[in-house]
C-alpha cells in the first residue's frame, strides 16, 4: 500500500481559485486533504488533472479528510470519450465514519490542458458521476470555460467521477411515438 500524500487546509473564507495552467506531466494518483467545518478550498493535482474542491461553511458539522484518487477499476464509459482519468472522491470524519452527503452543495472545479482536449469539443465536455445502482454515468450540469480550460460543477455527494464527451460518430437516438 502506497502512502497517500497529505495536506491540511483551514481556509475560512472562500477565496478565488488559483489553479495554475495544467501540464501534461503525470503526478500523483491519490491525494488527501483535511477540510474543517468552516469550509475552504483545497486544490490538488491528480495525475493530469488539477482539481479544486470548495466546501462552504457548515456543509459538514466537523472536519473531514477528503481523498481524491484515480479509480483503480473504472466503470466502462460506453460510447463516451474520457478527458484524462476517471477519479473517485471519498471523505471520512475524524473517527473514520464515511461522509457521502453534505448539508450544503460544494463546488468542484477541474483545470485541464489543451493537449488533453485535442480532438474533443470542449463545449461538449461535462462532469459525470457513476450511479452505482443503475450502473450508468449521469451527467452533472457543468459550466465550461474553454478559454481558461476550466470545468465547474456544483455537487452534493461523493462518488466516482469522470469528465466525458459523447462520441460524435456514435449518435444517440430518441424515438417518440406519433400522436
Amino acid at each position: 500500500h502506497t502512502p497517500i500524500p497529505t495536506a491540511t487546509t483551514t481556509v475560512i473564507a472562500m477565496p478565488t481559485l488559483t489553479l495554475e495552467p495544467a501540464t501534461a506531466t503525470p503526478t500523483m494518483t491519490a491525494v488527501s486533504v483535511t477540510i474543517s467545518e468552516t469550509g475552504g478550498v483545497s486544490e490538488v493535482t491528480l495525475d493530469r488533472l488539477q482539481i479544486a474542491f470548495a466546501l462552504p461553511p457548515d456543509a459538514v458539522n466537523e472536519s473531514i479528510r477528503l481523498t481524491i484518487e484515480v479509480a483503480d477499476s473504472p466503470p466502462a464509459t460506453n460510447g463516451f470519450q474520457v478527458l484524462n482519468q476517471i477519479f473517485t472522491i471519498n471523505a471520512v470524519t475524524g473517527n473514520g465514519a464515511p461522509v457521502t452527503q453534505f448539508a450544503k452543495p460544494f463546488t468542484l472545479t477541474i483545470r485541464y490542458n489543451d493537449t488533453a482536449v485535442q480532438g474533443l469539443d470542449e463545449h461538449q465536455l461535462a462532469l459525470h458521476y457513476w450511479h452505482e445502482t443503475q450502473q450508468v454515468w449521469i451527467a452533472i450540469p457543468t459550466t465550461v470555460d474553454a478559454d481558461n480550460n476550466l470545468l465547474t460543477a456544483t455537487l452534493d455527494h461523493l462518488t466516482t467521477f469522470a469528465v466525458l464527451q459523447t462520441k460524435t460518430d456514435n449518435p444517440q437516438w430518441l424515438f417518440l411515438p406519433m400522436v
Side-chain angles (χ1 to χ4, degrees):
H1 186 264
T2 305
I4 297 174
T6 61
T8 301
T9 301
T10 54
V11 178
I12 295 174
M14 297 295 280
T16 303
L17 299 178
T18 59
L19 291 173
E20 297 297 322
T23 63
T25 307
T27 56
M28 296 178 229
T29 58
V31 66
S32 289
V33 295
T34 299
I35 303 176
S36 77
E37 63 275 9
T38 59
V41 176
S42 289
E43 300 173 9
V44 301
T45 300
L46 181 69
D47 197 31
R48 294 171 299 235
L49 292 176
Q50 287 182 320
I51 300 169
F53 184 94
L55 192 68
D58 301 320
V60 292
N61 58 10
E62 63 181 288
S63 293
I64 60 169
R65 183 138 201 81
L66 188 74
T67 301
I68 304 172
E69 60 189 329
V70 173
D72 286 337
S73 304
T77 57
N78 299 331
F80 289 99
Q81 293 177 314
V82 180
L83 175 69
N84 290 324
Q85 300 288 337
I86 296 172
F87 59 97
T88 301
I89 304 177
N90 295 303
V92 295
T93 62
N95 65 5
V99 177
T100 56
Q101 295 286 128
F102 295 84
K104 295 180 181 178
F106 60 89
T107 303
L108 199 63
T109 301
I110 299 171
R111 179 180 292 279
Y112 54 90
N113 63 41
D114 288 328
T115 304
V117 292
Q118 285 183 350
L120 299 176
D121 180 353
E122 287 179 73
H123 298 285
Q124 297 301 316
L125 294 174
L127 187 65
H128 289 68
Y129 74 90
W130 180 248
H131 193 291
E132 289 289 334
T133 306
Q134 296 178 10
Q135 296 288 293
V136 295
W137 288 103
I138 306 290
I140 300 166
T142 304
T143 302
V144 178
D145 178 352
D147 292 337
N148 294 302
N149 294 353
L150 292 172
L151 302 168
T152 304
T154 301
L155 307 164
D156 64 356
H157 70 287
L158 300 176
T159 187
T160 299
F161 297 96
V163 177
L164 303 174
Q165 178 198 329
T166 303
K167 288 184 178 180
T168 55
D169 61 344
N170 185 16
Q172 305 276 328
W173 295 96
L174 174 63
F175 294 96
L176 298 174
M178 293 182 62
V179 180

